[in-house]
């Protein structure tokens, strides 16, 4: 084992956890808005159409899409550390603007800034974690980001229950908590090293006289047709699933209301259950077994359980059983489902020189899909009803299940260099990091 590999084994988990906090902050931003949209609507007096617009420009959709479009190429151009050094500063400004907002305009600006920061930070974090993880435990390391993403909503919904008596001021407290978490995370990240793989790739390009620009990663990504199939595959897996999950994240309280649960406390308790189970399934399922068992069948199990969860919620007789079944099944499915595999496969299927650009493009497209549906989701839920809208939701999940199961790549146990060699016919870097 090389010195670099030994160093990675010692310091890898510290770096993984620090960088994975992007996912806690992302999910926390989405849930903070989800639990407070109705309160902001009541406080500032805007209609359902503007609710959809605010959701669409948030970290859940277009705001994150814009950040990913900027952050992915910058991450390949200037390094992984550049993004996760500065993205949280933008996030903190947005969180403070929402915390002290006195009207709709300030609220929207804060939501957009938080969304841009999330969009820039999450692809960088997934890329960095995968590049620094040992080959034999890459799924476990990448799963840490999914674990953080799951803990964020669990805490967010629990906080929403605690601060419910304070109304919109309670929601301000939740956004301020995100500011504090972001500040602590930013401070810890300052001491982390740059991705070793990115540094070696950049050194090789410099030695070869290759000129690198903002668009170099994007051009390299799209110029090679072998990347197109991976892009379409991952968009089918994550983009379609995330279109559903994005609505669940931001509008789930309204879905529960349509299913007969009108109490905000009961809605939030159900969501706490969902996300606690997601975190548990991520740790005991994806992180424990993603490097040991067939990823194809692990993905299939999670995707199928997600489809069943929504079928029961939408078409079973409303009541305690259907709601609890949904919460348990959807929570477990999300822990071993599309997002965890997306973070893993996106890092594995693209070369180092444009890995983050690929993350940015895919994350951007996925968030655009969420945003397009978010613009009309509240109106469709009211006019169509849950059953008609549910057919669209289930259809998207079924297609994502089929794509991920049929075309799942066999990358388990292989180094990123070995995967590059198989996919491109050559190693894209002169030196090997892993022994």
């Amino acid at each position: 084992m090389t010195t670099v590999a030994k160093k990675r084994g010692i310091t890898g988990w510290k770096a993984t956890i620090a960088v994975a906090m992007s996912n806690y902050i992302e999910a926390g931003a989405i849930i903070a808005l989800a639990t407070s949209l109705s309160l902001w609507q009541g406080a500032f007096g805007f209609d359902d159409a503007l609710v959809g617009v605010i959701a669409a420009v948030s970290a859940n959709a277009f705001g994150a899409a814009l950040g990913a479009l900027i952050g992915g190429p910058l991450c390949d151009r200037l390094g992984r550390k550049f993004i996760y050094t500065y993205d949280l500063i933008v996030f903190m400004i947005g969180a403070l603007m929402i915390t002290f907002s006195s009207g709709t305009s300030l609220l929207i600006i804060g939501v957009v800034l938080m969304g841009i920061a999330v969009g820039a930070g999450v692809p960088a974090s997934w890329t960095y974690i995968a590049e620094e993880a040992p080959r034999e435990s890459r799924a476990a390391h990448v799963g840490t980001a999914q674990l953080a993403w799951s803990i964020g909503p669990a805490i967010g919904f629990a906080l929403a229950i605690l601060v419910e008596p304070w109304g919109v001021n309670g929601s301000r407290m939740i956004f301020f908590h995100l500011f504090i978490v972001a500040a602590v995370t930013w401070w810890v990240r300052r001491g982390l090293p740059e991705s070793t793989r990115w540094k070696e790739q950049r050194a090789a390009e410099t030695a070869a006289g290759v000129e690198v620009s903002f668009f170099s990663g994007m051009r390299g990504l799209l110029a090679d047709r072998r990347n197109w199939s991976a892009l379409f595959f991952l968009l089918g897996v994550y983009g379609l699933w995330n279109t559903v999950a994005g609505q669940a994240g931001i509008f789930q309280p309204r879905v529960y209301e349509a299913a007969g649960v009108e109490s905000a406390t009961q809605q939030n308790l159900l969501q706490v259950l969902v996300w606690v189970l997601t975190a548990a399934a991520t740790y005991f399922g994806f992180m424990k077994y993603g490097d040991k068992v067939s990823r194809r069948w692990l993905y299939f199990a999670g995707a199928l359980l997600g489809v069943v969860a929504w079928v029961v919620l939408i078409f079973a007789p409303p009541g305690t059983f259907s709601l609890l079944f949904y919460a348990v099944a959807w929570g477990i499915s999300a822990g071993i489902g599309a997002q965890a595999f997306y973070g893993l496969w996106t890092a594995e299927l693209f070369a180092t020189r444009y890995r983050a650009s690929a993350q940015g493009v895919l994350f951007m497209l996925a968030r655009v899909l969420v945003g397009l549906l978010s613009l009309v989701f509240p109106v469709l839920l009211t006019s169509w009803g849950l059953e008609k809208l549910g057919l669209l939701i289930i259809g998207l999940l079924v297609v994502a299940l089929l794509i991920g199961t049929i075309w799942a790549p066999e990358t388990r146990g292989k180094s990123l260099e070995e995967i590059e060699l198989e996919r491109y016919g050559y190693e894209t870097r002169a030196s090997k990091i892993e022994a």
Side-chain angles (χ1 to χ4, degrees):
M1 181 179 290
T2 65
T3 302
V4 174
K6 289 179 181 178
K7 183 178 179 181
R8 180 179 292 113
I10 296 171
T11 63
W13 279 109
K14 176 184 176 181
T16 292
I17 293 169
V19 176
M21 286 304 294
S22 286
N23 294 68
Y24 175 93
I25 294 165
E26 178 214 14
I30 294 171
I31 300 312
L33 190 61
T35 57
S36 63
L37 259 178
S38 295
L39 296 174
W40 295 114
Q41 184 178 14
F44 296 151
F46 48 83
D47 58 19
D48 280 350
L50 189 55
V51 169
V53 171
I54 293 173
V57 300
S58 71
N60 201 45
F62 292 138
L66 177 59
L69 187 62
I70 298 170
L74 274 180
C75 194
D76 283 329
R77 173 67 179 87
L78 300 176
R80 294 27 173 156
K81 187 174 180 178
F82 175 84
I83 296 298
Y84 64 68
T85 297
Y86 296 105
D87 67 315
L88 290 183
I89 296 176
V90 177
F91 183 94
M92 288 186 282
I93 293 171
L96 285 179
M97 291 181 73
I98 296 176
T99 300
F100 298 105
S101 63
S102 56
T104 305
S105 297
L106 205 60
L107 173 68
I108 294 174
I109 294 171
V111 166
V112 170
L113 288 178
M114 290 176 72
I116 291 172
V118 164
V122 169
S125 72
W126 281 332
T127 299
Y128 182 91
I129 290 170
E131 288 181 343
E132 292 295 285
R135 74 173 81 184
E136 67 275 4
S137 58
R138 191 160 50 243
H141 279 258
V142 172
T144 305
Q146 175 72 7
L147 182 64
W149 184 80
S150 308
I151 293 173
I155 293 177
F157 281 111
L159 288 175
I161 295 171
L162 291 175
V163 302
E164 183 182 359
W166 291 284
V168 74
N169 288 328
S171 297
R172 296 179 192 273
M173 294 168 62
I174 296 177
F175 280 99
F176 189 68
H177 126 270
L178 289 174
F179 166 81
I180 294 173
V181 173
V184 172
T185 302
W186 176 81
W187 181 260
V188 172
R189 284 181 179 179
R190 294 171 69 246
L192 295 181
E194 179 58 88
S195 163
T196 306
R197 281 187 169 88
W198 180 84
K199 287 194 298 183
E200 293 197 3
Q201 173 67 38
R202 178 48 49 86
E205 290 171 337
T206 301
V210 176
E211 186 175 344
V212 180
S213 68
F214 177 80
F215 296 105
S216 294
M218 200 77 72
R219 284 199 301 266
L221 173 69
L222 299 178
D224 194 329
R225 289 181 177 270
R226 286 168 294 192
N227 292 322
W228 293 11
S229 59
L231 288 169
F232 284 119
F233 164 72
L234 289 163
L235 187 60
V237 167
Y238 183 62
L240 298 182
W241 175 87
N242 191 63
T243 301
V244 175
Q247 310 313 313
I250 203 75
F251 294 124
Q252 193 64 34
R254 294 173 184 245
V255 173
Y256 283 143
E257 186 176 349
V261 180
E262 297 184 358
S263 166
T265 299
Q266 291 178 351
Q267 292 171 0
N268 290 332
L269 283 171
L270 282 169
Q271 289 298 83
V272 170
L273 177 61
V274 168
W275 292 108
V276 167
L277 289 172
T278 299
T282 299
Y283 182 77
F284 292 106
F286 187 82
M287 293 176 67
K288 291 292 186 181
Y289 294 101
D291 294 301
K292 300 176 182 178
V293 304
S294 168
R295 291 174 178 174
R296 183 190 308 275
W297 294 111
L298 188 61
Y299 172 86
F300 173 78
L304 180 62
L305 193 58
V307 172
V308 173
W310 280 92
V311 168
V312 170
L313 177 66
I314 293 167
F315 296 109
T320 302
F321 170 79
S322 61
L323 288 167
L324 287 178
F325 183 91
Y326 166 81
V328 171
W330 182 244
I332 294 174
S333 74
I336 56 175
Q339 180 157 289
F341 278 99
Y342 164 78
L344 180 63
W345 285 335
T346 306
E348 292 178 335
L349 296 181
F350 298 99
T352 301
R353 66 176 180 269
Y354 44 68
R355 182 172 290 125
S357 294
Q359 288 268 19
V361 168
L362 287 164
F363 197 70
M364 180 267 294
L365 292 174
R367 292 312 196 194
V368 166
L369 290 175
V370 173
L372 291 175
L373 186 54
S374 295
L375 285 171
V376 296
F377 191 90
V379 177
L380 292 180
L381 187 60
T382 301
S383 59
W384 286 10
L386 183 57
E387 288 191 4
K388 289 183 179 179
L389 188 57
L391 292 175
L392 173 62
I393 289 172
I394 293 169
L396 293 171
L397 292 176
V398 168
V399 175
L401 180 154
L402 293 174
I403 292 173
T405 302
I406 294 171
W407 289 288
E410 184 50 62
T411 51
R412 180 166 52 96
K414 301 174 182 177
S415 71
L416 295 180
E417 288 73 30
E418 290 170 343
I419 299 169
E420 287 183 11
L421 183 61
E422 290 180 0
R423 283 185 47 75
Y424 300 100
Y426 57 88
E427 274 195 272
T428 58
R429 292 160 54 251
S431 57
K432 287 175 68 71
I433 294 176
E434 297 185 59

